[in-house]
Amino acid sequence: MIYFILSFYILLALLISSTIRKIFKNVVLKRFFYAIFLSLFLTFWFLHPGSKDLAPVLSIYFINILESESILQMRLIRPLILVFMLILIFDFILFRNKAKKK
C-alpha cells in the first residue's frame, strides 16, 4: 500500500510540475520553475535529526515553522538545493541533446 501511495505522489508531482512548465514560454524559465517545483515535491529528508522516518521537505518545513517559529532550516535547504541542481542540470543536458538531434 505504501508503494502505491508513493507512486501516486511521484506521479502527481510530475503532473503538477509539467503543468507549471507549460505556463512559461521562455525555455530557461520553463526549466527553472520545473526544477523548483519538482524538487520541492520530490525531496525527502528525515523528520528530526537522528530519526529513521522520512517525509517530504516541504511538509517538514511548514511544520517546523508552525512549531518552532524558525524560518531558516539549513538541514532541509541543503538536500532541497542538491535535488534542485541535479534536476536542473539533468533537464538542461536532455534539452541540449534534443536540440542537437534536430
Side-chain angles (χ1 to χ4, degrees), residues 43-48 53-68 70 73 75-76:
T43 305
F44 285 84
W45 200 242
F46 300 101
L47 287 174
H48 304 286
D53 299 324
L54 294 173
V57 168
L58 193 59
S59 64
I60 298 171
Y61 189 71
F62 286 139
I63 294 299
N64 281 342
I65 288 174
L66 293 174
E67 288 179 351
S68 65
S70 65
Q73 294 284 334
R75 71 179 190 94
L76 300 175

Side-chain angles (χ1 to χ4, degrees), residues 21-56:
R21 181 181 219 157
K22 291 179 183 180
I23 293 173
F24 298 98
K25 292 185 180 183
N26 187 351
V27 175
V28 175
L29 286 177
K30 278 184 179 188
R31 304 210 182 298
F32 183 74
F33 281 104
Y34 177 77
I36 285 176
F37 281 95
L38 195 59
S39 63
L40 278 174
F41 290 126
L42 292 185
T43 305
F44 285 84
W45 200 242
F46 300 101
L47 287 174
H48 304 286
S51 172
K52 293 181 181 179
D53 299 324
L54 294 173

Side-chain angles (χ1 to χ4, degrees), residues 8-9 14 16 20 25 35 49 54 63 66 68 70 82 95:
F8 181 71
Y9 179 77
L14 287 169
I16 291 171
I20 290 172
K25 292 185 180 183
L54 294 173
I63 294 299
L66 293 174
S68 65
S70 65
L82 175 70
F95 173 70

Side-chain angles (χ1 to χ4, degrees), residues 53-100:
D53 299 324
L54 294 173
V57 168
L58 193 59
S59 64
I60 298 171
Y61 189 71
F62 286 139
I63 294 299
N64 281 342
I65 288 174
L66 293 174
E67 288 179 351
S68 65
E69 297 178 6
S70 65
I71 295 175
L72 189 62
Q73 294 284 334
M74 288 307 291
R75 71 179 190 94
L76 300 175
I77 292 174
R78 286 182 295 222
L80 183 68
I81 290 174
L82 175 70
V83 171
F84 168 74
M85 293 303 290
L86 289 174
I87 291 171
L88 191 64
I89 290 169
F90 186 69
D91 199 20
F92 273 114
I93 288 172
L94 283 178
F95 173 70
R96 184 175 160 200
N97 288 341
K98 284 184 180 179
K100 282 185 178 181

